[in-house]
Amino acid sequence: MDGLLALYIFMLAAFTGYEIIAKVPVILHTPLMSGSNFIHGVVVVGAMIMLGSADTPVQQAIGFFAVALGAANAAGGYVVTERMLAMFKKKED
Amino acid sequence: MTMPIYVQGAWFFGAALFIFGLKGMSSPASARKGIIIAGYGMLLAIAATFLIPGLQNLGLMALALALGGSAAWISGKKVKMTDMPQMVAIYNGMGGGAAAAIAAIEFAKGDSHSMAVTVLAVIGALIGAISFTGSCVAWAKLQGVLKKAYRLPAQNAVNVVLALVAIALGGAMVLMAPATPELIFAFFAVALILGLIVTLPIGGADMPVVISLFNAFTGLAVGFEGYVLGNPALIIAGIVVGAAGTLLTQLMAKAMNRPISNILFTPMVASGPGEAISGSMKELSALDAAAMMRYASKVIIVPGYGMAVAHAQHKVWEMTSILEEAGIEVKFAIHPVAGRMPGHMNVLLAEAGVPYDKIFDLEEINGEFAQADVALIIGANDVVNPSARTDKSSPIYGMPILNADMAQNVIVIKRGKGTGYSGVENALFYTDNCRMLYGDAQPMAGEIIQHLKAMG
C-alpha cells in the first residue's frame, strides 16, 4: 500500500478512536475496554493470511499459534462484552 | 499478495461495522446493539479471508480457529463478573501475542520490504510481545495465582537496560534485513522477557490501568502489522483501539491520581500515615441504621469492591427497593475506580438488577451529598476519605473523592477497623456524623432489610 496513504489512515483512525471514547460515560468504561479489546481481535484475519502463506513447519506452527490466539481474542472479547452489556437496563425495561 | 475485490470489499464493510459498533457502545441504551453489530463485522471479515485464492493450510486454520475460539467462548461464558478484569487482560494478551506472531512469520519469510515497513513490523512485534507476557502477569496477579509483587534490586535500571537491548536488536533487524533466525529469536526472547519484568513489580491496585495500557498496546501492534500486511481493516481497527485505549488509560490514571509513569516505575508506598486523626469511631446497630434510612428523605449509597467481594449487591438492591417503596429517594454514587477497573462497579450493580439511571458518577453526584440525609458506605474506604481534600501529607492527597462526609449522617458498613487498599486511616470514620456498622456486608444488609420490613 502507498506509505503516505497509510499514514492518512493512521491519522484519521486515531482521531476516530479518540472522539468515540471521549464521550463515553464512566459507567460504560469496563464494557468499552472489553469491546475495544474485541475489535482488535480482527488480528485473527492477519494471522489467517500469514498461516495461509506459511511454507515451513516452523512458520506453520507460529501461524497456527497466531490464529488460535487471535480467535480467542475475538471470541472471548465478544462474549464477555455482550454478557456485560446485556445486564445494563433502564428502570422500566 | 493482491486480494480480489470481494475480499477487499468485505473487509472494508467489516471495518465500517467495527466503528459503527464502537460508536453504539458509547451510550448504555445502544451499547448491546453496538457489540452485536461489531460481532457481525468480525464474522464477515473472517469469512471473507477464507475466500482468498491460493490460501494454504486451510485445515490447520480451521482447527486453530475452532480451538482458540471455543476455548475463549466457553471461558467467557463462565467467568464471574467480579473476575472480569483479568479475563479482559488475558484475551487482550492473546491479541498481542497474535500480532507478535504475525511479525515473527513475516521476518522468518525474509521477504524484502521497504525500511518503513520493517520498522513498523519491528515496533508492532515489540509492543505486541510486551502486551502478551505483561497481560499474562496481570491475569495471574488479579486471579491470585501470583500473590506478591516481585521487585528486582535496581528494577528501573533493569527495565531500561532490557528495553534498550530490545530496541538495539530491533534496530539490527531493520538494518541487517533479512534477519538471521538467531537474531529474530533473540529479539522476541528479550521482548517477551521485558513484558514480564516490567509488569511483575506492579501491585494489584494499579493493574487495571496497566491492563488498559496493554489494550492500547495490542491495538497499536495490530495496526502496525496491518500496515505490514497492507490490510486497511487491521490498520483501522488497531489504531482506533490504540487511540481509544490510550485515552481510557489516561482517564483511569487521572481518576486514581497516579500518573502512568508513576504506576510503571514506582511502587505504591504509604508515604507516611498522614496527619494524626483525633476522635473515635462510633458504632451503631443494624436496627438504628434501618431506622435512620427509613425516616430519611434521601439516601445515597456508596458501594465499593468490598460489597462485591461479600456478594452483597443483590441484598443492597433489595434494600433499595424497600426504601423506594416507602417514598425515599435512593441513588448510587460510584467512584471512577470503584471495583477492579473503571466502570467495574456499574457492571456488578447491573448484574444485581440495579437500573443504570440510578447510578451516578462522581461529578454528577458530589453536589448532592449536602442534601442527603444518609450516605451509606458499603465496602468502600479510600474513595470517601476527606483527607484527600484536606491533608497535604496524606499519600492520597489530591485524589478526587466522593464527598460522603457532607451528608447529614454517614453509615459505614465495614468488616473490621482496618485501613483501605492504600493503607491510609480514613478521617471520615472519626467524624461526629459518622457511625460504623461492623460486619460482613451481605448479612448486615439482610438484617437491615428485616428491620425495614418490620417497620412497614
Side-chain angles (χ1 to χ4, degrees), chain A residues 3 6 10 14 21 25 27-28 30 36-38 40 48 50-54 60 72-73 79 82-83 89-90, chain B residues 25-26 32 42 56-57 61 72-73 76-77 79 88 92 95 106 109 215 227 235 243-244 341-342 344 346 355-356:
Chain A
F10 275 168
I21 302 300
I27 73 161
L28 283 175
T30 288
S36 61
N37 177 28
F38 158 70
H40 67 51
M48 287 167 72
M50 290 318 277
L51 176 59
S53 63
Q60 282 175 335
N73 181 177
V79 170
E82 203 273 335
R83 268 185 67 196
K89 290 200 170 57
K90 263 197 134 124
Chain B
M25 278 186 247
S26 64
R32 185 160 181 226
M42 188 69 74
Q56 299 156 19
N57 303 318
M61 201 178 289
W73 189 276
K77 280 279 180 207
V79 64
V88 173
N92 173 53
E106 193 70 35
K109 284 178 188 268
N215 189 35
Y227 181 72
I235 299 181
M341 68 201 274
H344 190 198
N346 305 83
Y356 60 76

Side-chain angles (χ1 to χ4, degrees), chain B residues 139-333:
Chain B
W139 173 84
K141 288 210 165 180
L142 290 176
Q143 189 70 24
V145 177
L146 272 177
K147 292 221 165 59
K148 271 172 52 191
Y150 295 88
R151 174 158 281 272
L152 299 171
Q155 174 78 41
N156 289 348
V158 173
N159 287 353
V160 170
V161 169
L162 265 177
L164 289 176
V165 171
I167 292 168
L169 289 170
M173 300 210 341
V174 174
L175 296 174
M176 298 174 7
T180 60
E182 292 78 14
L183 181 55
I184 297 172
F185 182 81
F187 169 73
F188 278 100
V190 173
L192 291 168
I193 292 170
L194 182 60
L196 280 181
I197 298 288
V198 168
T199 321
L200 274 172
I202 299 172
D206 286 334
M207 223 26 114
V209 182
V210 175
I211 294 172
S212 174
L213 184 68
F214 286 149
N215 189 35
F217 270 22
T218 303
L220 292 177
V222 171
F224 291 161
E225 298 313 329
Y227 181 72
V228 176
L229 294 170
N231 188 320
L234 257 69
I235 299 181
I236 292 169
I239 300 298
V240 165
V241 172
T246 308
L247 178 61
L248 207 52
T249 311
Q250 284 171 342
L251 289 176
M252 290 185 189
K254 215 174 107 198
M256 296 176 70
N257 197 31
R258 302 251 292 145
I260 296 168
S261 56
N262 229 341
I263 290 169
L264 291 178
F265 300 118
T266 47
M268 178 103 177
V269 281
S271 58
E275 284 171 10
I277 297 163
S278 60
S280 61
M281 297 199 209
K282 295 159 285 287
E283 269 191 69
L284 94 170
S285 68
L287 177 62
D288 292 340
M292 217 182 242
M293 288 191 283
R294 177 64 185 77
Y295 298 106
S297 57
K298 180 170 184 167
V299 174
I300 299 178
I301 300 177
V302 181
Y305 193 63
M307 182 194 72
V309 171
H311 301 289
Q313 305 88 299
H314 289 90
K315 285 267 183 246
V316 170
W317 174 228
E318 191 186 339
M319 182 186 82
T320 306
S321 308
I322 296 174
L323 288 171
E324 284 191 323
E325 267 168 42
I328 298 151
E329 185 188 6
V330 185
K331 288 184 172 179
F332 286 85

Side-chain angles (χ1 to χ4, degrees), chain A residues 1 3 6 9-10 13-14 16-18 20-55 59-60 62-91, chain B residues 1 11 18 22 25-28 31-32 35-36 38-39 42 46 49-50 55-57 60-61 64-65 68-69 72-73 76-77 79 81 84 88 91-92 94-95 98 101-102 105-106 109 211-212 215 218 222 227 229-231 234-237 239-241 243-244 247-248 252 341-344 346-347 350-351 355-357 361:
Chain A
M1 197 191 328
I9 297 181
F10 275 168
T16 308
Y18 193 91
I20 288 175
I21 302 300
K23 282 179 248 142
V24 172
V26 179
I27 73 161
L28 283 175
H29 276 179
T30 288
L32 195 82
M33 195 153 122
S34 125
S36 61
N37 177 28
F38 158 70
I39 284 172
H40 67 51
V42 72
V43 70
V44 69
V45 166
M48 287 167 72
I49 296 173
M50 290 318 277
L51 176 59
S53 63
D55 34 40
Q59 291 176 17
Q60 282 175 335
I62 303 174
F64 183 82
F65 181 67
V67 173
L69 288 182
N73 181 177
Y78 181 83
V79 170
V80 297
T81 309
E82 203 273 335
R83 268 185 67 196
M84 284 192 272
L85 291 176
M87 297 183 319
F88 282 96
K89 290 200 170 57
K90 263 197 134 124
K91 190 165 187 210
Chain B
M1 175 164 27
W11 285 343
F18 287 157
L22 204 55
M25 278 186 247
S26 64
S27 137
R32 185 160 181 226
I35 181 70
I36 292 172
M42 188 69 74
I46 293 173
T49 308
F50 272 111
L55 207 65
Q56 299 156 19
N57 303 318
L60 267 183
M61 201 178 289
L65 279 174
W73 189 276
K77 280 279 180 207
V79 64
M81 287 297 153
M84 205 48 94
V88 173
Y91 294 144
N92 173 53
M94 288 171 169
I102 290 173
I105 301 175
E106 193 70 35
K109 284 178 188 268
I211 294 172
S212 174
N215 189 35
T218 303
V222 171
Y227 181 72
L229 294 170
N231 188 320
L234 257 69
I235 299 181
I236 292 169
I239 300 298
V240 165
V241 172
L247 178 61
L248 207 52
M252 290 185 189
M341 68 201 274
H344 190 198
N346 305 83
V347 173
E351 190 189 17
Y356 60 76
D357 44 5
D361 290 352

